[in-house]
Amino acid sequence: MPGWSEDDPAEAWPALLASCSRLARQAGWQSVCAAASALGRTPSSQQARAYFEQHFVPWQLFNGGPSAEGLVTGYYEPLIRGSRSRSSQYAWPIHGVPADMLTIELGDVYPELRSMRLRGRIVGNKVLPYWTRGQLEERGNQVPAPVLLWANDPIDLFFLQVQGSGRVRLPDGKTVRIGYADQNGHPYQSIGRWLVAQGELSLEQASMDGIKRWARDNPGRLREMLNANPSYVFFRELPASDGGPIGALSVPLSEGRSIAVDPRYVPLGAPVFLATSHPLSTRPLNRLVLAQDTGSAIKGAVRADFFWGFGESAGREAGRMRQQGRMWVLLPKGMKPPR
């Protein structure tokens, strides 16, 4: 694994202990999590390295055939402005989960589809797909979903949905943390790629900053752009805390040491060695991370979303990150990958 000897695995230790809080009772993980607990919360770099080399086997991931490289993007926890009450300034709803949305677990009938879910709604005696982003907007207050907060900027709200969690600064200066609760069941479609296909931006310009600039310059096409992505994320309000946002593993994410993965190929909670590069450069970014989150756009074996942390600087790095990388999942000795 390139860069293994240069990385400091002790920096991933808090993330490992967070994973073990969920994995410690699962078959195959008891002994490795017990050994991690025995080393305490702050082992030395040498102790951490010896621990991983003694207890884990690295399995390189491939995207079918001989392809060992895949896409590595970045995400972060944004801060947007919002309010508890609607006004001309705060006019964009941040919805909770709709009361009429059904979740159908396909794995209950087809075990091979255990990771697949459908969202729908009942119309007469039929189950139809749930509303798309554009349809939800058209229905307005007819959507039976609670409004948690009102945002002051539709673009900031859109990117908060893309990130899956964030913080909302209220007019009185207080901050509310919200996190992913559910999604309308429609596949994520990149508005950056839509803008490229429309001839509005080049591929190099289609970063988060580039998309925001285009939206400010083309307010008349804002809804058209946003509705090019039919996916819509619903949120829940989270307790105030000092840690990172809660990922799919139900533990706080660690800045620079957590990634989102496709759980069909990488078990949630597992250590992963990621070999990629920093945004817009060839400078190596080779480090041990923990698979603690998922995402609707994260599909495939060699596919990761790197968590940069909270705030503007993290957002800049995340928005520019679209690198190639390789991945090794570290599994306890005797355990084999899902596929």
Side-chain angles (χ1 to χ4, degrees):
M1 298 185 294
W4 169 255
S5 58
E6 287 77 40
D7 186 37
D8 183 357
E11 293 183 4
W13 202 256
L16 172 71
L17 295 182
S19 281
C20 275
S21 71
R22 295 292 173 180
L23 298 177
R25 296 182 181 180
Q26 294 186 20
W29 290 94
Q30 294 97 329
S31 61
V32 296
C33 286
S37 179
L39 286 175
R41 306 195 69 83
T42 56
S44 68
S45 299
Q46 293 78 11
Q47 288 175 316
R49 188 180 306 282
Y51 162 83
F52 284 106
E53 293 178 353
Q54 178 180 349
H55 293 281
F56 291 88
V57 173
W59 296 79
Q60 187 169 9
L61 298 168
F62 291 86
N63 275 329
S67 176
E69 287 200 344
L71 179 63
V72 182
T73 51
Y75 70 121
Y76 74 112
E77 186 183 20
L79 175 67
I80 72 170
R81 294 172 60 200
S83 174
R84 294 271 185 200
S85 57
R86 185 177 189 176
S87 67
S88 59
Q89 182 180 0
Y90 300 100
W92 298 84
I94 302 175
H95 281 297
V97 179
D100 65 339
M101 189 172 73
L102 303 176
T103 300
I104 302 169
E105 300 283 350
L106 296 179
D108 292 345
V109 179
Y110 303 102
E112 67 274 17
L113 300 177
R114 62 186 180 277
S115 63
M116 304 294 289
R117 295 184 179 93
L118 293 178
R119 271 56 165 207
R121 54 192 172 88
I122 296 177
V123 178
N125 61 353
K126 295 182 178 180
V127 177
L128 299 181
Y130 203 69
W131 307 109
T132 65
R133 174 182 294 275
Q135 291 168 336
L136 285 167
E137 182 181 317
E138 289 176 3
R139 294 182 64 79
N141 58 14
Q142 295 181 37
V143 178
V147 178
L148 307 180
L149 298 153
W150 295 89
N152 81 323
D153 187 285
I155 298 297
D156 287 345
L157 174 56
F158 178 88
F159 279 107
L160 186 145
Q161 289 190 323
V162 172
Q163 304 307 315
S165 62
R167 305 182 199 183
V168 182
R169 177 71 50 79
L170 303 180
D172 63 4
K174 294 181 180 178
T175 301
V176 178
R177 175 170 259 170
I178 57 175
Y180 175 94
D182 213 329
Q183 186 257 1
N184 65 344
H186 291 271
Y188 171 83
Q189 301 291 334
S190 168
I191 60 173
R193 290 191 177 277
W194 180 83
L195 287 168
V196 172
Q198 295 286 313
E200 297 293 331
L201 296 177
S202 68
L203 187 60
E204 293 73 23
Q205 294 171 325
S207 65
M208 184 167 60
D209 287 341
I211 292 169
K212 287 184 175 182
R213 282 193 297 271
W214 185 91
R216 307 281 188 255
D217 294 339
N218 297 271
R221 298 188 67 188
L222 175 62
R223 294 179 187 274
E224 180 187 4
M225 179 188 71
L226 296 181
N227 292 339
N229 174 28
S231 174
Y232 193 93
V233 170
F234 304 104
F235 291 97
R236 59 191 174 102
E237 191 168 335
L238 301 174
S241 66
D242 295 329
I246 303 299
L249 188 62
S250 297
V251 302
L253 302 180
S254 297
E255 178 180 330
R257 292 290 173 173
S258 294
I259 60 170
V261 297
D262 187 337
R264 295 176 299 172
Y265 304 95
V266 180
L268 273 181
V272 174
F273 191 77
L274 178 66
T276 184
S277 55
H278 284 264
L280 302 179
S281 78
T282 57
R283 184 161 61 95
L285 177 60
N286 302 327
R287 66 175 61 175
L288 182 66
V289 293
L290 277 294
Q292 296 177 325
D293 207 359
T294 60
S296 59
I298 312 305
K299 302 297 181 186
V302 190
R303 178 71 174 93
D305 212 12
F306 185 89
F307 180 64
W308 282 96
F310 168 72
E312 290 185 11
S313 61
R316 284 193 295 271
E317 295 298 307
R320 298 183 299 175
M321 189 168 192
R322 192 173 180 83
Q323 313 299 109
Q324 289 295 298
R326 291 176 287 167
M327 296 167 59
W328 289 258
V329 58
L330 275 62
L331 297 178
K333 289 184 176 179
M335 183 183 293
K336 292 186 177 180
R339 296 188 179 191

